[in-house]
Amino acid sequence: MPPVLDTTETDRVDLTAQFGSTDFFDGAATRTIGYNQGYLGPVIRMAPGGLGAQVRNALDVPVTVHWHGLLVPGEHDGGPQAAIRSGASWSANMQIDQPPATAFYHTHAHGRTASDVYAGLAGVIHLTDGRDDDRGLPSAYGVDDLTLVLQDRRFDTGGRMTYDLSMMDVMHGFVGEVMVVNGQIDAVAAVPKGVTRLRLVNGSNARIYTLFMSDDRPMHLVATDGGFLDVPIALETLILSPGERAEVLVDFGDGRSVALMSGGDPNQGPMGMMGRMRGVINRVIDRSFTVLDFAIDDTLPVRIDAVPDTLDGAMPDLDGTDVRTRRVSLDMGMGPGGGMGPGMMGPGGMMGPGGMMGRGMMDGEGFRGPMMSGMGVFGINGRPYDMDRIDYEVGLGTTERWIVESPMLAHPFHIHGAMFQVVREDGRAPRPEHRGWKDTVLVTGETELLVRFDRPASADFPFMFHCHILEHEDRGMMGQMTVS
Ligand code: C2O
Ligand code: CU
Ligand code: CU
């Protein structure tokens, strides 16, 4: 488990973005970065109330700390506008006022979020009200309450972690062949012979996990991004895309050693885009692999031996009558008549001379001109992110209906400074793991959200909304809004 930085007594969090050296494999050191350590950062334990944050940048590149999942005003949110230059510091006096949840923090310096999160600038937040024992939930850190940052990485033959982007990595998002959990390869989690809580955080740049237990025993979902559900939901599989968190309870009471597994990434491989277009999102396309092995440790105390029947989380139930509707299209620069047909492969398409490999992308609305040759062209509603443009002006205290479309790949869509309810996805009721409060959701076609905007953001420090495939975000699949 990562070390804990407990702020519940001090009401202060001090972070330093710093260089490190990490031996993922014996003897081969990779130059990495982290918060307060060489790779990743501590688990920050916090409670509702005032919290003073101080962040120092000891790196040679700009960084931020974005509190993904904390509902704080735009000026404290750590978005691209809050970049801290090398050697400088940033501070924020925050008020935390939201239900308990597992959140995520990471750098958000525009254009380098992908490379710097990959190198280690990310960590986990436990927002707690200290009442988990009353809820019958496991809460002994590292004993029956495990925090698991799931990442996939590539390594060279010398065992050093690498990040070299090919065209395909940019288009589909970068995935690695080696599973790294909390910065460790081939980790084994020791668990008591009872109910254990897994706080699963997808900290990967792009990989979408379809998680299941090796013997198909249920994972009881107790919390989504925004906090607890009303009752646990038993799941056989759980899809977790980048930026999403899920808390599940797994009963190891039978004493058998099992593993957490994942199916292949629906966006990857030769089936990537084409598979997506044929609608095979729920099928395992490449081979399944082990995410983490569990070993029963009889010496660990069994504190919880049954999954609670009820929880006290409030399920989202937003009123969607008379609300403003916005359409949000996550675009990969397809020309008119795009798709895998001639529109994509032909002269004006993605692979053609006028496409992503060549000059620009589109002749119709949207991307124009000789932009970003050789690298992907990404945007929202046809326009790449522009730090100087406010895309939406949202009313503080309002609810809006956002209809988010991913015509090509599956994209994890994230909104800062707000929580939302998934109303429908691809014409159906939401997947069970999307029924609680969310701030990030995998969009596989068309997903309808009701979003509640309760935190302000000015034009100087607007809130972002973006694809959480970090290679897409950095290349422009992001927009920004004020809330006032
Ligand atoms: Cu996890 Cu805009 O971030
Ligand atoms: Cu965020
Ligand atoms: Cu994307």
Side-chain angles (χ1 to χ4, degrees):
M1 289 299 109
V4 177
L5 200 166
D6 194 342
T7 72
T8 56
E9 303 283 308
T10 62
D11 298 332
R12 283 200 58 80
V13 53
D14 290 278
L15 295 175
T16 300
Q18 62 188 54
F19 285 110
S21 170
T22 306
D23 289 352
F24 292 96
F25 291 101
D26 272 346
T30 303
R31 188 161 143 109
T32 52
I33 52 183
Y35 293 109
N36 296 3
Q37 57 190 48
Y39 183 76
L40 298 180
V43 164
I44 304 173
R45 193 159 182 274
M46 55 176 79
L51 180 67
Q54 171 96 25
V55 183
R56 212 165 60 82
N57 181 6
L59 301 176
D60 55 7
V61 296
V63 303
T64 81
V65 177
H66 165 54
W67 320 98
H68 177 146
L70 290 190
L71 295 173
V72 294
E75 60 187 312
H76 299 157
D77 186 55
Q81 282 79 359
I84 312 164
R85 45 172 224 288
S86 174
S89 293
W90 176 83
S91 57
N93 274 312
M94 308 193 283
Q95 278 296 325
I96 312 294
D97 179 17
Q98 65 186 88
T102 299
F104 185 36
Y105 63 98
H106 60 81
T107 189
H108 218 302
H110 188 53
R112 42 180 324 114
T113 300
S115 57
D116 295 349
V117 167
Y118 189 85
L121 278 186
V124 178
I125 294 167
H126 291 188
L127 175 58
T128 175
D129 61 2
R131 295 190 42 245
D132 284 351
D133 289 342
D134 301 342
R135 294 184 178 96
L137 290 174
S139 64
Y141 185 78
V143 180
D144 60 11
D145 180 358
L146 306 186
T147 298
L148 304 171
V149 181
L150 310 186
Q151 298 180 310
D152 55 329
R153 294 294 185 255
R154 286 185 199 163
F155 294 88
D156 66 16
T157 50
R160 276 169 301 265
M161 190 167 80
T162 59
Y163 183 71
D164 296 315
L165 291 174
S166 72
M167 258 302 290
M168 275 299 160
D169 294 331
V170 171
M171 276 171 47
H172 292 176
F174 181 100
V175 295
E177 299 89 28
V178 179
M179 213 37 232
V180 179
V181 178
N182 296 347
Q184 295 154 74
I185 293 169
D186 285 336
V188 179
V191 291
K193 202 173 156 185
V195 173
T196 296
R197 174 181 187 174
L198 309 179
R199 301 183 192 236
L200 302 164
V201 178
N202 186 338
S204 300
N205 281 31
R207 183 178 283 280
I208 298 161
Y209 299 89
T210 302
L211 300 169
F212 58 96
M213 299 300 295
S214 52
D215 63 354
D216 290 328
R217 75 181 58 191
M219 298 175 288
H220 301 270
L221 183 71
V222 295
T224 54
D225 303 333
F228 294 121
L229 306 177
D230 53 354
V231 290
I233 305 176
L235 298 175
E236 224 170 81
T237 62
L238 165 65
I239 297 180
L240 198 70
S241 68
E244 286 185 297
R245 291 86 63 210
E247 295 185 33
V248 299
L249 304 184
V250 177
D251 189 350
F252 296 102
D254 63 5
R256 294 221 311 269
S257 291
V258 288
L260 177 67
M261 309 284 295
S262 175
D265 184 336
N267 278 347
Q268 297 296 326
M271 293 296 286
M273 248 181 235
M274 284 195 259
R276 169 72 208 106
M277 293 168 90
R278 294 188 196 124
V280 293
I281 181 76
N282 287 328
R283 236 174 278 161
V284 171
I285 292 163
D286 61 31
R287 285 216 325 272
S288 298
F289 58 92
T290 301
V291 173
L292 181 68
D293 282 308
F294 295 97
I296 308 298
D297 182 342
D298 288 315
T299 67
L300 294 176
V302 176
R303 296 173 61 253
I304 308 283
D305 58 13
V307 173
D309 293 330
T310 61
L311 302 156
D312 58 358
M315 300 301 279
D317 185 19
L318 291 171
D319 183 359
T321 48
D322 296 326
V323 300
R324 174 162 195 169
T325 297
R326 298 183 199 268
R327 291 203 156 258
V328 182
S329 170
L330 307 176
D331 297 325
M332 295 183 69
M334 300 302 293
M340 288 306 285
M344 182 160 169
M345 296 304 190
M350 189 172 288
M351 304 299 181
M356 210 179 258
M357 306 286 283
R359 179 183 48 86
M361 285 306 292
M362 295 176 83
D363 301 309
E365 286 188 357
F367 306 116
R368 282 170 186 281
M371 47 185 299
M372 295 195 238
S373 61
M375 277 301 190
V377 181
F378 299 87
I380 290 186
N381 294 337
R383 298 198 293 188
Y385 176 68
D386 181 347
M387 231 163 141
D388 296 320
R389 183 188 69 229
I390 298 295
D391 296 282
Y392 297 155
E393 292 176 348
V394 174
L396 181 63
T398 64
T399 298
E400 292 193 350
R401 183 185 316 277
W402 286 25
I403 299 173
V404 189
E405 292 161 50
S406 290
M408 292 292 299
L409 291 179
H411 298 279
F413 182 68
H414 170 50
I415 305 178
H416 288 212
M419 288 286 165
F420 54 74
Q421 173 180 3
V422 181
V423 180
R424 287 187 83 66
E425 43 191 354
D426 304 331
R428 293 184 297 272
R431 298 179 60 82
E433 60 264 49
H434 293 168
R435 287 186 199 146
W437 284 103
K438 298 282 292 166
D439 58 45
T440 307
V441 67
L442 185 65
V443 178
T444 58
E446 184 180 282
T447 298
E448 185 180 324
L449 311 173
L450 284 171
V451 194
R452 183 69 202 166
F453 294 97
D454 282 329
R455 295 294 185 277
S458 66
D460 288 340
F461 296 101
F463 286 135
M464 303 298 121
F465 50 93
H466 59 90
C467 173
H468 220 286
I469 290 179
L470 301 181
E471 288 77 21
H472 294 176
E473 173 195 330
D474 273 345
R475 283 167 184 77
M477 198 179 281
M478 179 157 77
Q480 58 186 11
M481 63 187 160
T482 57
V483 180
S484 61

